[in-house]
């Protein structure tokens, strides 16, 4: 199984950015542990602060992978283009957030991408990514590829 984790703007600063909200752990650290926990899953990773680069990556990998886990950061709340990109590809996308966006400012309650995604996981800290991976694995075992 091949999956891709995409992190959007400001998530390159995880570990240093508002640790009270996003935790003190750098994402690279967490990713290493996740890869060890799931040795049979090929987990690639992409981070960008630019909306267009996130869209290009969805186009590039969105027809060949088994799943994409997307934390679009603040673009979640603003980007019609990201929602359209998710609708344009065939790979299922799970929207994730580290924080519980519904407990935060009202502008974070709206997502421009949720309706295009297979599902949404938020509020479990970095574990949100693992929970999304579990959801993709569960889906895979319900719909195995029959050769
Ligand atoms: C976030 C929540 C967004 O509202 C925020 O803009 C982020 C991170 C999260 O993971 O909790 O950058 O997506």
């Amino acid at each position: 199984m091949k999956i891709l984790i995409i992190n959007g703007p400001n998530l390159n600063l995880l570990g240093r950015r508002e640790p009270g909200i996003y935790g003190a752990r750098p994402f690279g650290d967490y990713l290493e542990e996740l890869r060890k926990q799931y040795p049979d899953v090929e987990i690639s990773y992409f981070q960008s602060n630019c909306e267009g680069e996130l869209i290009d990556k969805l186009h590039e990998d969105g027809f060949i992978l088994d799943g994409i886990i997307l934390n679009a950061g603040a673009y979640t709340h603003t980007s019609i283009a990201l929602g359209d990109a998710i609708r344009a590809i065939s790979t299922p996308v799970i929207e994730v957030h580290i924080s519980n966006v519904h407990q935060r400012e009202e502008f974070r309650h709206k997502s421009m991408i949720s309706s295009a995604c297979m599902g949404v996981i938020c509020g479990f800290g970095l574990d949100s990514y693992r929970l999304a991976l579990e959801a993709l694995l569960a889906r895979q075992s319900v719909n195995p590829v029959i050769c």
Side-chain angles (χ1 to χ4, degrees), residues 42-79:
E42 203 177 303
I43 307 173
S44 50
Y45 178 63
F46 180 77
Q47 191 279 327
S48 176
N49 295 319
C50 305
E51 189 176 11
E53 286 181 8
L54 297 171
I55 292 167
D56 285 345
K57 189 65 178 169
L58 286 167
H59 292 178
E60 204 178 296
D61 286 4
F63 294 92
I64 50 177
L65 296 177
D66 300 303
I68 294 175
I69 296 168
L70 171 65
N71 185 345
Y75 288 139
T76 304
H77 316 298
T78 60
S79 179

Side-chain angles (χ1 to χ4, degrees), residues 8-11 14 17 21-22 71-77 96-101 104-105 107-108 122-123 129:
N10 301 307
L11 293 165
L14 282 176
R17 172 194 182 196
I21 297 174
Y22 300 113
N71 185 345
Y75 288 139
T76 304
H77 316 298
V96 302
H97 300 285
I98 296 163
S99 63
N100 182 346
V101 286
R104 300 181 62 192
E105 305 93 322
F107 66 84
R108 294 185 206 274
C122 82
Y129 295 87

